């Protein structure tokens, strides 16, 4: 398995991967920004998307944004292929940018909060309709 920052040659495959695994009807997708192909392309150019590759297949990806004034990194979106879920892949991938605490917003009424709870994230605060999780 190779975990690394996404390369410009992977732009289309990352866009397709997120398009396959993220949809507007998912309650965890609270902003159209998560679905914007131009935003994904820009994040790759800024070196803010990490991918996991097995046998030349993209199996996981996440987008992050460093918040230097807060000393944190925001996890914007992530997706893991079905076959690799439940194996701690996101945690392994997060180690690539783990020099700062990583935070993630999740709508309060979303079942994805259970994922954060079960996978070792710590509930940091509740704000404006979201739980803020920290890793």
């Amino acid at each position: 398995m190779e975990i690394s920052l996404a390369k410009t040659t992977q732009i289309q495959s990352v866009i397709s991967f997120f398009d396959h695994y993220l949809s507007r009807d998912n309650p965890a997708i609270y902003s159209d920004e998560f679905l914007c192909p131009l935003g994904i392309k820009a994040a790759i150019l800024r070196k803010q998307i990490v991918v996991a590759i097995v046998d030349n297949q993209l199996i996981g990806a996440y987008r992050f944004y460093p918040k230097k004034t807060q000393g944190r990194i925001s996890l914007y979106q992530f997706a893991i292929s079905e076959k690799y879920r439940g194996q701690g892949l996101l945690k392994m991938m997060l180690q690539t940018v783990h020099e700062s605490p990583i935070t993630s917003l999740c709508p309060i009424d979303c079942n994805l909060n259970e994922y954060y709870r079960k996978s070792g994230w710590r509930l940091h605060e509740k704000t404006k309709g979201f739980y803020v999780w920290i890793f």
Side-chain angles (χ1 to χ4, degrees):
M1 177 182 312
E2 176 189 346
I3 297 173
S4 65
L5 290 170
K7 299 168 183 64
T8 56
T9 56
Q10 297 170 311
I11 289 172
Q12 194 53 52
S13 63
V14 173
I15 289 171
S16 295
F17 185 79
F18 278 136
D19 188 50
H20 179 77
Y21 287 105
L22 304 178
S23 69
R24 279 183 171 66
D25 57 341
N26 182 331
I29 305 300
Y30 56 86
S31 170
D32 286 342
E33 181 182 352
F34 296 143
L35 305 172
C36 176
L38 295 176
I40 293 168
K41 178 181 178 181
I44 290 173
L45 294 174
R46 287 190 313 269
K47 301 185 181 325
Q48 294 175 343
I49 291 189
V50 171
V51 295
I53 308 286
V54 170
D55 297 328
N56 293 318
Q57 293 291 333
L58 183 58
I59 62 162
Y62 72 85
R63 180 177 172 185
F64 67 97
Y65 183 77
K67 294 188 172 190
K68 294 176 182 138
T69 58
Q70 296 176 354
R72 293 188 178 166
I73 294 170
S74 289
L75 176 64
Y76 267 36
Q77 68 202 66
F78 69 92
I80 306 293
S81 66
E82 290 96 346
K83 182 179 175 182
Y84 291 90
R85 292 179 186 166
Q87 300 176 29
L89 179 57
L90 180 61
K91 282 186 175 184
M92 285 191 305
M93 293 172 68
L94 289 172
Q95 296 302 319
T96 61
V97 295
H98 199 265
E99 68 268 359
S100 302
I102 300 168
T103 60
S104 185
L105 291 177
C106 191
I108 289 173
D109 59 350
C110 181
N111 61 3
L112 187 61
N113 285 299
E114 226 12 68
Y115 163 79
Y116 288 110
R117 198 177 289 50
K118 288 180 179 178
S119 60
W121 290 68
R122 183 175 52 85
L123 183 57
H124 178 66
E125 65 182 329
K126 177 180 171 181
T127 180
K128 300 177 188 169
F130 293 93
Y131 285 132
V132 178
W133 295 94
I134 196 161
F135 177 76

